[in-house]
Amino acid sequence: MSDDHKKGNENVHTDFSNRMTYGEYLGLEDLLSAQKRLSPHHDEMLFIIIHQVSELWMKLILHELHAATEAIRENQMQSAFKMLARVSSIQKQIIQAWDVLSTLTPAEYMEFRDQLGQASGFQSYQYRMIEFALGYKTPHVLKIYKKDPDLHKRLNEAYRAPSLYDAAIGKLSEAGLPISAHLLDRDYTELYERDSTVEKAWSHIYKNVDQYWDLYQLGEKLVDIEDSLQQWRFRHMKTVERIIGHKKGTGGSSGVGYLKKVLDHRFFPELWDVRTTI
């Protein structure tokens, strides 16, 4: 080794007999041994890793969304904006993951698809919790998780909790903007539907940006997140169509047909409508 190469490395720790290593801190032994193929086919490893990585990103999205919702309630808006901006950055990573999965051809996928049985991304409980956190409450999906009582309880709690958008609407009211009373103490298990008072409030904010700068920023952060989520859904739909066409999903859904349908849902409808009305 040259002297130049040695410089700066002479103090690197090499004795870890009584110290925690990088691998131990990250739990890499468990993490890297979690890819258990059910077939001998080479490309099943790609399928498993893409979905596991996406689930890790979703775990971080939930971590940030829950903290951002609480920060909004406590009027810590700058902290909330930082967290929501991070969510948008994470979403870019998940969207790009579809490009990698798209390298899986129909013939390759069919080599191991039967091994999945009825297991499907449709059953991703973290994705459901993200939908719940954003206000999209669908009670029928809870049945999927009855097999695990603890998980079912967690999902029920998320299902009944106010969403990020509920917290945002609460801030509109606190700012003195007239909001329908029933929205401020509503049944959070019900699917949110657009409300004229919320649309008028956002319209007023977007016409008076300097006066409502924090709320204007909040509205744009919400639009960023929904925009990215819809891009994720679109890439999901196109990847599924590319690999299995219009076959039914392994979980029993209509596959591409179902994925196209959910593209029509809007999480924050008034924030999209206001773009037309202002």
Side-chain angles (χ1 to χ4, degrees), residues 80-92:
F81 297 156
K82 175 66 182 295
M83 296 166 190
L84 295 176
R86 182 175 291 163
V87 169
S88 294
S89 293
I90 297 166
Q91 288 176 301
K92 293 176 184 176

Side-chain angles (χ1 to χ4, degrees), residues 67-106:
T69 300
E70 187 61 28
I72 291 168
R73 289 198 196 100
E74 295 178 0
N75 208 33
Q76 297 175 359
M77 302 301 282
Q78 294 305 313
S79 294
F81 297 156
K82 175 66 182 295
M83 296 166 190
L84 295 176
R86 182 175 291 163
V87 169
S88 294
S89 293
I90 297 166
Q91 288 176 301
K92 293 176 184 176
Q93 299 297 317
I94 296 183
I95 291 167
Q96 290 177 347
W98 293 118
D99 292 337
V100 183
L101 189 59
S102 291
T103 65
L104 182 69
T105 69

Side-chain angles (χ1 to χ4, degrees), residues 28-29 46 56 63 134 179 228 230 240 245 262:
L28 286 182
E29 192 64 33
L46 163 68
L56 283 172
H63 178 71
L134 298 178
I179 299 295
S228 293
Q230 294 294 54
V240 170
V262 296

Side-chain angles (χ1 to χ4, degrees), residues 228-257:
S228 293
L229 184 57
Q230 294 294 54
Q231 289 183 49
W232 183 91
R233 283 174 157 179
F234 179 78
R235 290 295 296 124
H236 184 187
M237 182 269 293
K238 294 306 293 184
T239 302
V240 170
E241 185 175 24
R242 175 172 178 157
I243 296 174
I244 68 167
H246 288 263
K247 293 186 182 76
K248 280 191 174 184
T250 50
S253 75
S254 58
V256 169

